[in-house]
Amino acid sequence: MQTMNYQNEISVHCGKVADDMKKLETLCNEEAEKLLVSLDIPTEGEISVPFWTSDFPELICVGLFKKDGKGVVTYELDFSESTL
């Protein structure tokens, strides 16, 4: 499986540091859904995308976007790396 890291090229900024984690999770999921249609991922490839707060750059989560052999793109958000 090919892994592509676009952390310097693609990142998402949403929410604020003062927002609670539930709100940030909702915002990240909404933004991830938007990315599903715009990311150019090779078949059986992966792209890692960081999600940051908009007001002060704190890491909310890292999204891993994958395309399977049938061309279906899915994502998982990993909040374990959050700096909040």
Side-chain angles (χ1 to χ4, degrees):
M1 183 172 292
Q2 181 180 5
T3 301
M4 304 173 79
N5 189 335
Y6 285 103
Q7 287 184 344
N8 294 328
E9 295 179 29
I10 297 174
S11 63
V12 175
H13 297 269
C14 59
K16 299 177 181 171
V17 172
D19 292 336
D20 64 47
M21 202 59 186
K22 186 166 182 97
K23 180 176 181 176
L24 292 173
E25 287 177 13
T26 299
L27 292 171
C28 289
N29 275 299
E30 289 171 359
E31 294 299 320
E33 289 291 327
K34 292 176 190 176
L35 279 178
L36 281 178
V37 296
S38 63
L39 288 177
D40 183 24
I41 304 172
T43 300
E44 298 188 13
E46 298 179 347
I47 295 178
S48 178
V49 178
F51 287 71
W52 302 92
T53 51
S54 297
D55 56 348
F56 184 80
E58 291 285 349
L59 183 66
I60 304 169
C61 66
V62 177
L64 182 60
F65 294 80
K66 301 176 185 179
K67 182 185 275 187
D68 66 18
K70 296 179 183 178
V72 177
V73 179
T74 59
Y75 71 90
E76 293 178 25
L77 300 178
D78 179 3
F79 292 90
S80 69
E81 296 184 44
S82 176
T83 58
L84 292 171

